Amino acid sequence: MPRSRLSTLDASFFRVETASAHMHVAWKGRFAPRADGRPVTIEALRASVSARLRYAERFRQRVAFPPAGFGEPVWIDDERFDIAAHVVPMSAPDEPLSRARFDELVDRCLSTPLDRTRALWRIELAPQLEDGTIGMVMKIHHAMVDGKSAVELALLLLDVSADADHGDPDEWTARAAPGPTRLALEALADGGLESLRAAGGLARMARSGPGGLRSGVRLADTLRRAALSVGEDVLKPAPSSYVNRPITAHRALVHHTTAIGPLLDVKRRHGVTLNDVALCVVSGALRELSMRAGRVPAPLKVMVPVSTRAAEEAGDLGNRISFVFVELPVQLHRPAERLAAIHAETSRFKDQGRAGGGETLMGALGVLPEPLKEAAARLAASPRTYNLTVSNVPGPRMPVYLLGAELIEAAPVIPITDGHALSIGIFTVRDEVTFSVYLDPTALPQALELPQALSAAALEVGAIAGPRRARSADAA
């Protein structure tokens, strides 16, 4: 059975990872107590996760790196895999944690990189908090998943019913790890096949006749969109900003949760997308943060990951994303003006197909020699290219459970690269939306105040929908 090789995009998250920039995506969750009063134990969670690993073999694999210059890493079985090393207790079951202590332990977990010699994920469970809820944090290396597939994995490990049967763990034996010579030979063979596929694809596009003409038109359009992506996104420098500064390995996760209804009202009233409304809330909060920091509010260039995952790829891991860049009009005081400016900007990149162009560009990087891949990855992740990442990850709209305990709160983690002191994730669960701020509190302590700024901005943006009664009459 051939080994699965990481794509250039997947491997790029190793290239930009440093001692101060850890490339894991993650989420922190809290769960209501079980209706029957039974505890959620670390033993039961390990058994539940073990029973499902047959559906996600990547959870029992690690990365193997070929000798330098011989291609991208491959996934191989982790010969030392032990579920107890990946699903661990955060506290003793008879020692309830305060919410503050739980948050501290989550931050400690997020400040620690994953071990590249083991399977690249970890779950930490707080069996009981002082308010009776259950806490959990789960982190997975970005080389393994993007935001959307991370949610799908979370749902694989959770349940859509409170009394789901988790089954029994299956028998599993790791395949022997290949040596360096074998890895190098396989990488050379895979590289040759990829070159042949690329050459064959170009040849088919260049054929004459109506079909060839259509392919040529499609190729020209793809190249146009890639050129736009380079010109509008990569080469257009981000403005200098106080949010871009050297970072340490220290991380904090803070968040604000609000009802999604008022934001949906704004979406309908103004004919925009929910993502536009969420970006408007974020820009309002960043405006407030700028003023608290004693800075004149100025536009920020944000990177917005866009999923390119097709419906038939729903069970696949790896990254199926492109990146587009949006100017947040932080300088505008009125939320309606900010929303109009954001909608114009997002509509423009959709009309230009820049998300598809960015995907083409990332695919083309695979043919570059290793030193150029390294340089390209670092340029794409630098503060010269963007000021911060804002990622909207749709969550489940139905109740989900951890061993019978219902999820009541979830905050996503969007990783930050060197030179970026914070990122913002947006996550919807049922009828609520959480704005999550992931930051280096040593580099940018002011960002710890963003939850209050997000709360005020969400109320301000929600008000531009107008009176609810009038909207209902208009809708009727």
Side-chain angles (χ1 to χ4, degrees):
M1 180 179 178
R3 275 178 273 273
S4 177
R5 190 168 302 281
L6 278 71
S7 70
T8 300
L9 176 56
D10 291 342
S12 72
F13 295 108
F14 289 126
R15 294 186 174 96
V16 300
E17 188 166 47
T18 67
S20 54
H22 313 142
M23 290 294 101
H24 47 247
V25 297
W27 64 280
K28 175 181 75 173
R30 283 195 311 117
F31 301 81
R34 289 174 54 114
D36 60 10
R38 292 170 55 195
V40 171
T41 66
I42 191 70
E43 294 79 12
L45 182 58
R46 286 172 178 165
S48 173
V49 173
S50 295
R52 304 171 197 227
L53 292 183
R54 64 173 69 94
Y55 305 114
E57 68 171 8
R58 191 74 77 242
F59 271 45
R60 291 189 288 209
Q61 294 182 321
R62 63 179 178 89
V63 287
F65 294 85
F70 279 85
E72 306 295 8
V74 293
W75 293 105
I76 66 171
D77 289 349
D78 183 356
E79 318 93 296
R80 297 184 297 151
F81 180 79
D82 178 3
I83 192 66
H86 296 274
V87 181
V88 300
M90 190 177 279
S91 60
D94 57 349
E95 295 179 7
L97 296 177
S98 67
R99 289 283 296 279
R101 180 57 178 160
F102 171 60
D103 289 342
E104 288 176 5
L105 293 175
V106 168
D107 291 347
R108 186 177 70 180
C109 172
L110 297 176
S111 301
T112 306
L114 288 159
D115 181 357
R116 291 192 187 183
T117 68
R118 309 294 295 263
L120 291 171
W121 63 280
R122 183 178 177 91
I123 294 174
E124 295 193 11
L125 176 72
Q128 187 178 2
L129 305 185
E130 288 180 348
D131 61 5
T133 62
I134 299 121
M136 190 178 80
V137 60
M138 177 182 187
K139 63 180 181 179
I140 314 172
H141 201 282
H142 211 334
M144 184 172 164
V145 294
D146 57 33
K148 187 173 181 180
S149 57
V151 171
E152 290 165 355
L153 278 175
L155 294 179
L156 174 67
L157 298 175
L158 301 178
D159 302 305
V160 294
S161 66
D163 56 355
D165 180 12
H166 306 122
D168 297 317
D170 64 335
E171 294 294 328
W172 180 79
T173 303
R175 290 166 289 189
T181 302
R182 182 71 180 177
L183 288 171
L185 290 173
E186 289 180 356
L188 286 172
D190 288 349
L193 286 173
E194 287 301 314
S195 298
L196 287 173
R197 290 191 189 102
L202 290 174
R204 284 191 297 274
M205 288 184 179
R207 287 173 187 160
S208 59
L213 178 61
R214 286 194 297 272
S215 294
V217 170
R218 288 197 296 270
L219 176 59
D221 183 61
T222 298
L223 294 175
R224 177 190 63 79
R225 288 186 278 118
L228 276 171
S229 180
V230 172
E232 294 282 339
D233 297 335
V234 179
L235 297 183
K236 184 178 179 181
S240 176
S241 173
Y242 71 97
V243 303
N244 300 118
R245 53 185 64 182
I247 61 173
T248 71
H250 190 195
R251 294 291 179 271
L253 178 64
V254 293
H255 48 92
H256 168 67
T257 300
T258 187
I260 199 172
L263 303 186
L264 291 173
D265 289 339
V266 174
K267 167 186 176 293
R268 288 188 288 265
R269 178 68 178 266
H270 290 266
V272 298
T273 67
L274 182 59
N275 190 57
D276 292 337
V277 180
L279 288 174
C280 186
V281 172
V282 168
S283 64
L286 291 173
R287 175 183 172 82
E288 175 66 20
L289 180 66
S290 179
M291 292 188 292
R292 290 186 185 185
R295 308 299 180 95
V296 176
L300 292 172
K301 183 182 178 185
V302 302
M303 181 177 72
V304 181
V306 176
S307 175
T308 59
R309 189 176 299 274
E312 60 271 16
E313 298 176 307
D316 294 345
L317 300 188
N319 288 269
R320 299 291 188 275
I321 50 176
S322 181
F323 303 98
V324 296
F325 298 83
V326 177
E327 182 178 277
L328 281 190
V330 177
Q331 77 283 6
L332 297 179
H333 171 65
R334 297 180 182 276
E337 293 177 358
R338 291 200 304 269
L339 181 60
I342 289 168
H343 180 62
E345 180 86 355
T346 57
S347 296
R348 189 165 68 94
F349 77 65
K350 288 175 185 175
D351 292 342
Q352 292 174 342
R354 276 158 45 201
E359 185 180 21
T360 300
L361 184 63
M362 288 302 303
L365 295 180
V367 302
L368 295 177
E370 181 56 37
L372 292 183
K373 286 183 183 178
E374 181 93 14
R378 293 198 174 277
L379 171 62
S382 76
R384 182 196 179 281
T385 303
Y386 66 96
N387 297 118
L388 73 154
T389 302
V390 179
S391 183
N392 188 353
V393 182
R397 300 308 298 269
M398 79 290 286
V400 291
Y401 302 86
L402 174 72
L403 299 172
E406 184 177 356
L407 178 68
I408 56 175
E409 180 181 82
V413 167
I414 310 301
I416 54 179
T417 54
D418 280 328
H420 299 90
L422 82 156
S423 65
I424 297 178
I426 304 162
F427 191 67
T428 51
V429 177
R430 301 187 70 180
D431 56 355
E432 293 184 326
V433 56
T434 294
F435 293 88
S436 179
V437 182
Y438 188 54
L439 69 138
D440 178 353
T442 303
L444 194 65
Q446 305 97 313
L448 290 168
E449 302 172 3
L450 267 173
Q452 295 92 334
L454 285 161
S455 175
L459 290 172
E460 183 184 48
V461 171
I464 67 175
R468 179 173 291 274
R469 183 173 297 175
R471 288 197 308 276
S472 299
D474 291 344

